PDB file of all heavy atoms in Angstrom:
ATOM      1  N   VAL A 135      75.989 101.727  83.957  1.00 96.00           N
ATOM      2  CA  VAL A 135      76.950 100.623  84.106  1.00 96.00           C
ATOM      3  C   VAL A 135      77.063 100.268  85.582  1.00 96.00           C
ATOM      4  O   VAL A 135      77.480 101.094  86.403  1.00 96.00           O
ATOM      5  CB  VAL A 135      78.329 101.022  83.537  1.00 96.00           C
ATOM      6  CG1 VAL A 135      79.360  99.913  83.796  1.00 96.00           C
ATOM      7  CG2 VAL A 135      78.232 101.312  82.041  1.00 96.00           C
ATOM      8  N   VAL A 136      76.674  99.055  85.925  1.00 96.00           N
ATOM      9  CA  VAL A 136      76.770  98.566  87.312  1.00 96.00           C
ATOM     10  C   VAL A 136      78.005  97.671  87.402  1.00 96.00           C
ATOM     11  O   VAL A 136      78.046  96.582  86.814  1.00 96.00           O
ATOM     12  CB  VAL A 136      75.489  97.781  87.706  1.00 96.00           C
ATOM     13  CG1 VAL A 136      75.650  97.201  89.110  1.00 96.00           C
ATOM     14  CG2 VAL A 136      74.265  98.689  87.629  1.00 96.00           C
ATOM     15  N   LEU A 137      79.008  98.118  88.130  1.00 95.00           N
ATOM     16  CA  LEU A 137      80.299  97.427  88.187  1.00 95.00           C
ATOM     17  C   LEU A 137      80.620  97.015  89.607  1.00 95.00           C
ATOM     18  O   LEU A 137      80.425  97.810  90.544  1.00 95.00           O
ATOM     19  CB  LEU A 137      81.389  98.353  87.643  1.00 95.00           C
ATOM     20  CG  LEU A 137      82.831  97.824  87.584  1.00 95.00           C
ATOM     21  CD1 LEU A 137      82.923  96.625  86.644  1.00 95.00           C
ATOM     22  CD2 LEU A 137      83.784  98.927  87.143  1.00 95.00           C
ATOM     23  N   ASN A 138      81.126  95.788  89.789  1.00 94.00           N
ATOM     24  CA  ASN A 138      81.557  95.367  91.127  1.00 94.00           C
ATOM     25  C   ASN A 138      82.764  96.187  91.573  1.00 94.00           C
ATOM     26  O   ASN A 138      83.496  96.730  90.757  1.00 94.00           O
ATOM     27  CB  ASN A 138      81.862  93.862  91.139  1.00 94.00           C
ATOM     28  CG  ASN A 138      82.918  93.465  90.115  1.00 94.00           C
ATOM     29  OD1 ASN A 138      82.820  93.791  88.946  1.00 94.00           O
ATOM     30  ND2 ASN A 138      83.926  92.735  90.563  1.00 94.00           N
ATOM     31  N   HIS A 139      82.945  96.260  92.890  1.00 91.00           N
ATOM     32  CA  HIS A 139      83.923  97.199  93.458  1.00 91.00           C
ATOM     33  C   HIS A 139      84.874  96.447  94.386  1.00 91.00           C
ATOM     34  O   HIS A 139      84.825  96.601  95.606  1.00 91.00           O
ATOM     35  CB  HIS A 139      83.179  98.280  94.224  1.00 91.00           C
ATOM     36  CG  HIS A 139      83.937  99.574  94.363  1.00 91.00           C
ATOM     37  ND1 HIS A 139      85.072  99.857  93.644  1.00 91.00           N
ATOM     38  CD2 HIS A 139      83.703 100.672  95.147  1.00 91.00           C
ATOM     39  CE1 HIS A 139      85.517 101.058  93.974  1.00 91.00           C
ATOM     40  NE2 HIS A 139      84.709 101.574  94.885  1.00 91.00           N
ATOM     41  N   LYS A 140      85.791  95.668  93.782  1.00 90.00           N
ATOM     42  CA  LYS A 140      86.671  94.813  94.578  1.00 90.00           C
ATOM     43  C   LYS A 140      88.149  95.101  94.359  1.00 90.00           C
ATOM     44  O   LYS A 140      88.976  94.733  95.180  1.00 90.00           O
ATOM     45  CB  LYS A 140      86.371  93.343  94.242  1.00 90.00           C
ATOM     46  CG  LYS A 140      87.050  92.352  95.181  1.00 90.00           C
ATOM     47  CD  LYS A 140      86.590  90.926  94.923  1.00 90.00           C
ATOM     48  CE  LYS A 140      87.189  89.965  95.935  1.00 90.00           C
ATOM     49  NZ  LYS A 140      86.710  88.566  95.733  1.00 90.00           N
ATOM     50  N   PHE A 141      88.486  95.753  93.255  1.00 91.00           N
ATOM     51  CA  PHE A 141      89.879  95.940  92.888  1.00 91.00           C
ATOM     52  C   PHE A 141      90.249  97.425  92.877  1.00 91.00           C
ATOM     53  O   PHE A 141      89.401  98.287  92.636  1.00 91.00           O
ATOM     54  CB  PHE A 141      90.153  95.331  91.507  1.00 91.00           C
ATOM     55  CG  PHE A 141      89.765  93.884  91.398  1.00 91.00           C
ATOM     56  CD1 PHE A 141      88.551  93.518  90.817  1.00 91.00           C
ATOM     57  CD2 PHE A 141      90.588  92.887  91.896  1.00 91.00           C
ATOM     58  CE1 PHE A 141      88.183  92.198  90.716  1.00 91.00           C
ATOM     59  CE2 PHE A 141      90.232  91.553  91.805  1.00 91.00           C
ATOM     60  CZ  PHE A 141      89.015  91.199  91.217  1.00 91.00           C
ATOM     61  N   GLU A 142      91.523  97.711  93.114  1.00 89.00           N
ATOM     62  CA  GLU A 142      91.958  99.099  93.176  1.00 89.00           C
ATOM     63  C   GLU A 142      91.795  99.826  91.852  1.00 89.00           C
ATOM     64  O   GLU A 142      91.635 101.045  91.820  1.00 89.00           O
ATOM     65  CB  GLU A 142      93.420  99.170  93.634  1.00 89.00           C
ATOM     66  CG  GLU A 142      93.606  98.857  95.113  1.00 89.00           C
ATOM     67  CD  GLU A 142      95.029  99.083  95.581  1.00 89.00           C
ATOM     68  OE1 GLU A 142      95.819  99.728  94.838  1.00 89.00           O
ATOM     69  OE2 GLU A 142      95.369  98.624  96.679  1.00 89.00           O
ATOM     70  N   ILE A 143      91.861  99.101  90.737  1.00 89.00           N
ATOM     71  CA  ILE A 143      91.784  99.773  89.438  1.00 89.00           C
ATOM     72  C   ILE A 143      90.484  99.452  88.718  1.00 89.00           C
ATOM     73  O   ILE A 143      90.400  99.635  87.500  1.00 89.00           O
ATOM     74  CB  ILE A 143      92.988  99.407  88.534  1.00 89.00           C
ATOM     75  CG1 ILE A 143      92.968  97.919  88.160  1.00 89.00           C
ATOM     76  CG2 ILE A 143      94.299  99.771  89.205  1.00 89.00           C
ATOM     77  CD1 ILE A 143      93.971  97.570  87.062  1.00 89.00           C
ATOM     78  N   ASP A 144      89.447  99.010  89.459  1.00 90.00           N
ATOM     79  CA  ASP A 144      88.197  98.671  88.761  1.00 90.00           C
ATOM     80  C   ASP A 144      87.580  99.907  88.097  1.00 90.00           C
ATOM     81  O   ASP A 144      86.989  99.802  87.020  1.00 90.00           O
ATOM     82  CB  ASP A 144      87.192  97.988  89.709  1.00 90.00           C
ATOM     83  CG  ASP A 144      87.019  98.688  91.036  1.00 90.00           C
ATOM     84  OD1 ASP A 144      87.221  99.912  91.097  1.00 90.00           O
ATOM     85  OD2 ASP A 144      86.677  98.000  92.032  1.00 90.00           O
ATOM     86  N   PHE A 145      87.747 101.083  88.731  1.00 87.00           N
ATOM     87  CA  PHE A 145      87.196 102.298  88.118  1.00 87.00           C
ATOM     88  C   PHE A 145      87.909 102.623  86.803  1.00 87.00           C
ATOM     89  O   PHE A 145      87.301 103.106  85.841  1.00 87.00           O
ATOM     90  CB  PHE A 145      87.296 103.485  89.088  1.00 87.00           C
ATOM     91  CG  PHE A 145      88.687 104.001  89.311  1.00 87.00           C
ATOM     92  CD1 PHE A 145      89.142 105.113  88.627  1.00 87.00           C
ATOM     93  CD2 PHE A 145      89.553 103.361  90.207  1.00 87.00           C
ATOM     94  CE1 PHE A 145      90.418 105.603  88.830  1.00 87.00           C
ATOM     95  CE2 PHE A 145      90.820 103.829  90.414  1.00 87.00           C
ATOM     96  CZ  PHE A 145      91.270 104.963  89.723  1.00 87.00           C
ATOM     97  N   LEU A 146      89.227 102.328  86.730  1.00 89.00           N
ATOM     98  CA  LEU A 146      89.968 102.543  85.497  1.00 89.00           C
ATOM     99  C   LEU A 146      89.470 101.612  84.390  1.00 89.00           C
ATOM    100  O   LEU A 146      89.409 101.994  83.227  1.00 89.00           O
ATOM    101  CB  LEU A 146      91.463 102.313  85.730  1.00 89.00           C
ATOM    102  CG  LEU A 146      92.277 103.479  86.249  1.00 89.00           C
ATOM    103  CD1 LEU A 146      93.740 103.079  86.414  1.00 89.00           C
ATOM    104  CD2 LEU A 146      92.161 104.685  85.333  1.00 89.00           C
ATOM    105  N   CYS A 147      89.126 100.386  84.768  1.00 91.00           N
ATOM    106  CA  CYS A 147      88.587  99.451  83.775  1.00 91.00           C
ATOM    107  C   CYS A 147      87.225  99.919  83.285  1.00 91.00           C
ATOM    108  O   CYS A 147      86.884  99.727  82.111  1.00 91.00           O
ATOM    109  CB  CYS A 147      88.476  98.050  84.388  1.00 91.00           C
ATOM    110  SG  CYS A 147      90.086  97.288  84.737  1.00 91.00           S
ATOM    111  N   GLY A 148      86.451 100.556  84.172  1.00 91.00           N
ATOM    112  CA  GLY A 148      85.190 101.148  83.755  1.00 91.00           C
ATOM    113  C   GLY A 148      85.406 102.270  82.756  1.00 91.00           C
ATOM    114  O   GLY A 148      84.699 102.370  81.742  1.00 91.00           O
TER     115      GLY A 148
END
Side-chain angles (χ1 to χ4, degrees):
V135 176
V136 176
L137 181 63
N138 57 308
H139 204 12
K140 190 173 184 178
F141 305 99
E142 287 186 14
I143 66 169
D144 47 28
F145 71 99
L146 275 180
C147 292

